[in-house]
Amino acid sequence: MIDLRSDTVTRPTAAMRAAMAAAEVGDDVIDVDPTVDRLQRMTAELLGKEAALFVPSGTMSNQVAVRLHCRAGDELLCEAGCHIFHYEQGGFAQLSGVVARTLPGQHGKLRLADFEGQVHPDNEHLVRTRLVTLENTHNRGAGCVQPYDDVVAICQWAHAHGLRTHLDGARLFNAVVASGIAADTWASHFDTVSVCFSKGLGAPVGSAVVGDRALIGEARRHRKLLGGGMRQAGIIAAGALHALQFHRQRLALDHAHAQILAQAIRQTRGTRLVPDTVETNIVIFEVDASLGTAAVFAAALKMHGVWMLAIGPRLLRAVTHLDVTEDDAITAARLIPDVADQLARGQLQVRDVEPSY
Ligand code: TLP
């Protein structure tokens, strides 16, 4: 099976498993785990921040960041399709009493004009506007890279209005490779940044939140409260360290493989890229009603050995990653027009249709 559901599905390589098996460990809750400590130092340095905290997931690092910047009765401003709003069960509300105001972006991209006039005045009827979050690359925006100048303008505006800024950089290293702009340059505009080791970098577990020393000290308290204190976490931190050392540059391959899929979609009758460009490793496309729903299209592809996710009634997502070779991408690309053709002719009996994501 060629698994294109997500870049989270990668298995650790033999070298990564060896590094994990050999990891020096301690108790990272009582005091320190030396491997976690090394990972946190390296992550902070790469992102140009004073400190980093290793957490089990990207969801937890985002939620810790929300708690760092907001109190109950505050609001955050974010893009309508972003992960924090769309895929984290409204954790900001459930866990922290925070409200989100969503701004519709252009396939995930926001500009300064979208934010202007959005800060509430100080008035007891209103929640307090406290935080701006951005996502780079943007998952539901088909892995698009936020235009750098817009990011700078939005963050400057936010700080000038007394707001804090957080970047969901689950796939920041994809943005770095695609844009040629260094991770610490992107990060310099934000108070906190979350990065994931378990997406394109290919580690089995883990994310980090970075910021200044005082904020990250506080983040440790929130991590503990949320149940994210991990004892001999050096075992998994070693996988993340290996990923950070050896798997950043190769993300360019994933981007090239995504282009192979994009080209096939452009040439397939009844399918359309959304948006029409692919910038990194995520490909989102729409299927015409004549081909059935996205879930039917995904089930048809799966019957032929290619696994994608339906992410809406007509939208599918394919993500390239460490375990997808160029041959896999070519195989999947050839299958797309074949399946579309068979569905259009009503020649395929589709079974096992899964609900959309
Ligand atoms: N995204 C997952 C799913 O949750 C949708 C995926 O398969 O893409 N920020 C962004 C931008 C993400 O895409 C994700 C995961 C997260 C945060 C959360 O990371 P985890 O899954 O580690 O909690």
Side-chain angles (χ1 to χ4, degrees):
M1 185 68 78
I2 299 171
D3 193 344
L4 301 172
R5 287 173 301 164
S6 181
D7 46 8
T8 59
V9 302
T10 56
R11 317 277 160 86
T13 60
M16 185 183 281
R17 282 179 192 266
M20 294 171 76
E24 194 190 341
V25 296
D27 186 324
D28 198 50
V29 179
I30 292 185
D31 46 28
V32 194
D33 175 296
T35 309
V36 170
D37 192 48
R38 274 176 56 214
L39 172 66
Q40 290 177 164
R41 284 172 197 277
M42 183 175 173
T43 307
E45 195 184 319
L46 262 175
L47 292 163
K49 297 287 189 204
E50 286 176 4
L53 185 73
F54 186 48
V55 293
S57 68
T59 301
M60 190 180 285
S61 55
N62 283 333
Q63 294 304 324
V64 163
V66 167
R67 296 176 70 81
L68 283 176
H69 302 307
C70 302
R71 288 175 298 160
D74 289 350
E75 80 170 348
L76 61 85
L77 301 176
C78 65
E79 198 280 326
C82 76
H83 198 277
I84 290 178
F85 184 74
H86 193 85
Y87 282 131
E88 298 183 12
Q89 280 191 33
F92 48 84
Q94 293 209 56
L95 302 169
S96 308
V98 172
V99 171
R101 191 138 46 101
T102 58
L103 311 172
Q106 272 286 341
H107 303 293
K109 293 181 186 173
L110 288 172
R111 314 203 59 178
L112 177 57
D114 299 315
F115 287 89
E116 281 169 337
Q118 299 291 352
V119 181
H120 281 320
D122 185 12
N123 177 318
E124 69 179 29
H125 295 82
L126 306 170
V127 287
R128 284 172 303 235
T129 313
R130 288 291 295 167
L131 174 66
V132 166
T133 73
L134 295 178
E135 186 174 310
N136 198 19
T137 65
H138 194 290
N139 182 344
R140 288 184 68 91
C144 66
V145 180
Q146 298 291 343
Y148 180 74
D149 292 345
D150 292 330
V151 169
V152 176
I154 291 165
C155 290
Q156 280 176 354
W157 170 88
H159 292 135
H161 285 80
L163 311 183
R164 297 275 190 87
T165 53
H166 171 70
L167 175 65
D168 177 351
R171 298 187 178 83
L172 181 61
F173 294 108
N174 294 86
V176 168
V177 165
S179 65
I181 298 170
D184 57 352
T185 306
W186 284 109
S188 65
H189 304 288
F190 295 89
D191 296 301
T192 52
V193 180
S194 162
V195 288
C196 292
F197 308 114
S198 59
K199 309 279 178 309
L201 294 181
V205 189
S207 294
V209 56
V210 302
D212 70 28
R213 217 176 298 287
L215 274 176
I216 298 307
E218 195 59 22
R220 215 180 136 94
R221 287 187 66 82
H222 293 297
R223 180 184 70 176
K224 188 72 174 74
L225 175 68
L226 298 174
M230 300 178 288
R231 305 285 178 176
Q232 282 71 52
I235 305 275
I236 51 174
L241 254 178
H242 183 91
L244 213 46
Q245 283 166 328
F246 300 111
H247 293 169
R248 277 184 289 138
Q249 297 311 322
R250 65 151 306 287
L251 291 172
L253 287 175
D254 298 344
H255 300 177
H257 297 161
Q259 292 301 331
I260 296 174
L261 299 176
Q263 199 47 29
I265 291 157
R266 284 194 190 97
Q267 289 166 358
T268 298
R269 194 191 296 260
T271 68
R272 188 174 70 86
L273 287 172
V274 184
D276 57 11
T277 50
V278 169
E279 297 182 43
T280 58
N281 69 327
I282 302 182
V283 180
I284 295 183
F285 64 102
E286 190 175 51
V287 291
D288 273 1
S290 60
L291 304 182
T293 62
V296 164
F297 199 87
L301 288 168
K302 192 177 171 194
M303 284 167 57
H304 290 86
V306 170
W307 212 352
M308 295 184 188
L309 281 182
I311 60 161
R314 303 237 156 271
L315 287 181
L316 285 106
R317 184 183 81 160
V319 188
T320 54
H321 53 75
L322 189 60
D323 292 349
V324 176
T325 63
E326 185 180 356
D327 282 351
D328 291 338
I330 292 169
T331 303
R334 288 200 179 122
L335 192 62
I336 292 165
D338 285 358
V339 161
D341 190 50
Q342 289 174 40
L343 284 171
R345 291 166 192 262
Q347 285 175 344
L348 209 54
Q349 276 302 329
V350 178
R351 46 174 207 277
D352 300 330
V353 178
E354 290 166 5
S356 77
Y357 212 69

